[in-house]
Amino acid sequence: MSVKVTIVGTGYVGLTTAVCLADLGHDVVAVDVNAEKIARLSAGDPVIHETGLKRLLVANLASGRLTFSNQMSDAVRRADLVMIAVGTPPQADGHVDLTFVEEAADDIAPHLAGFTVVCVKSTVPAGTNRRVGELIAYANPRADFALLSNPEFLREGRAIEEFMNPERVVLGAEDPRALAVGRAVYEPLTKRGRPLLTTSIESAEVAKYAANTFLAARLALLNEFADICEQVGGDIEEVVGVLSADSRIGPHFLEPGPGFGGSCFPKDVGAVAYLCEGLGDAGGLIRTILPSNARRQQRLARRILEVCAVEPRQLRIGALGLTFKADTDDVRDSPAIAVIEHLKRAGAHILAYDPAGMANARQAVTAIDFAGDAYEAAAGAHAVVVLTEWQEFRALDLAKLRAAASGPDLFDFRNVLDRQAVERAGFILHRTGAASPSRRHDRVAVAAQPRSRQRSRARS
Ligand SMILES: NC(=O)c1ccc[n+]([C@@H]2O[C@H](COP(=O)([O-])OP(=O)(O)OC[C@H]3O[C@@H](n4cnc5c(N)ncnc54)[C@H](O)[C@@H]3O)[C@@H](O)[C@H]2O)c1
């Protein structure tokens, strides 16, 4: 059954949802307050970098199932389901800024005609769906609507693939009419065996934060073991092999590196930590996740400064990668940029390159230079640092990279490069979660310390 869906907000989530639901056969209008974005999307320009997005956008525009508009009135009046997918950015204290969600509710309310399901897809704290309902009922007391919470779990870079093959669709509702429309929207996926879980509205809201907090904690914990390996020996990749073999832990999402980032994990973990502060002694562990992640980025910057041993104001770094992960142009809360900022603060000069994130990074980072490719970024650098796991970096001509750089140190903070090939090209390789080659002797000394101290205490 084809459902008339209107999506409010055409960011990573709203746009992905719009093209995918149209592709699944629904009649979709996507609305945004940004008129320039609407014009570009209507012309088939996907605006963001996301694998497979352009093809689906162009095909569904051509089919007539997908249109873009900045006119809320018509778009809402026609809809069986209005889905709010606007941003929920963090405020400085971690508290979620719900201004866009509340504005969207106010914008929708006067145009609701006939029974309509109002669905929040944005990540929002428990109670927000009901607040949206109150705002709509206040602005338009005659509106006939029911609430549906439908949090989104997709990952940028694989957004289309994950939307079309979700590990679960979550629908939080108490009105069976809302659930029926939600089920109809996702029927093409459930028919293919994708699981659909129904919960209360609040459970759906909390589950989204719980999922992101679990994942962020997993990465932070793994990176703390990477820190340990870098200092006392061991290789985090071997440790990951051992952890992965334990079915209670599992093999997924064990990727050591410069920490997590992006528009979701830091924001969502911060929101839960903020919530816990208001609950007294709740969330002791949760509150340590963001500081742990920030320490990781600081430590990696310090590692570069220590290994290079060049007066920081003379130090030139070739930075490869700016986005928070590969296959996206998103640099929001990027750990790559966090490491760069630490180096910059120490006085280092940064020449950076990213396959897709340059335009966004130019807006987000100041006082660094940008290069046209990886080799240009490495030119004259005391050290080259891989900060994002782009496929392009795996295929680098390492001899050419070494010839461009002035110093021999290559920091692979994503462990994407072939160790032997890097060393054959003449680099000294510093991997994430393993001691730097020049520091192996120190490591032995550190490991030996506690025992010798004990002995000298025993003698004294
Ligand atoms: N980005 C992700 O990977 C991801 C994954 C899962 C969930 N989420 C959640 O989904 C939500 C949206 O995230 P995003 O990354 O797509 O945001 P985004 O900032 O990329 O896009 C939001 C869009 O909403 C538009 N907008 C704001 N107010 C509007 C209004 N009143 N009417 C119409 N349009 C309006 C903005 O112009 C913008 O285009 C957030 O709550 C986020 O936490 C994001």
Side-chain angles (χ1 to χ4, degrees), residues 97-145:
D97 182 351
L98 292 171
T99 308
F100 296 127
V101 174
E102 293 180 349
E103 282 175 2
D106 287 338
D107 294 346
I108 291 164
H111 309 297
L112 290 167
F115 174 71
T116 314
V117 175
V118 176
C119 165
V120 178
K121 201 170 214 3
S122 303
T123 303
V124 291
T128 306
N129 276 264
R130 288 192 200 278
R131 166 101 183 117
V132 164
E134 285 164 11
L135 289 172
I136 292 174
Y138 179 78
N140 182 355
R142 285 200 301 266
D144 180 14
F145 70 98

Side-chain angles (χ1 to χ4, degrees), residues 304-316 346 382-383 409:
I304 296 170
L305 295 171
E306 283 171 10
V307 167
C308 289
V310 172
E311 206 287 305
R313 271 184 292 259
Q314 306 298 321
L315 184 63
R316 290 189 307 278
H382 293 102
D409 292 305

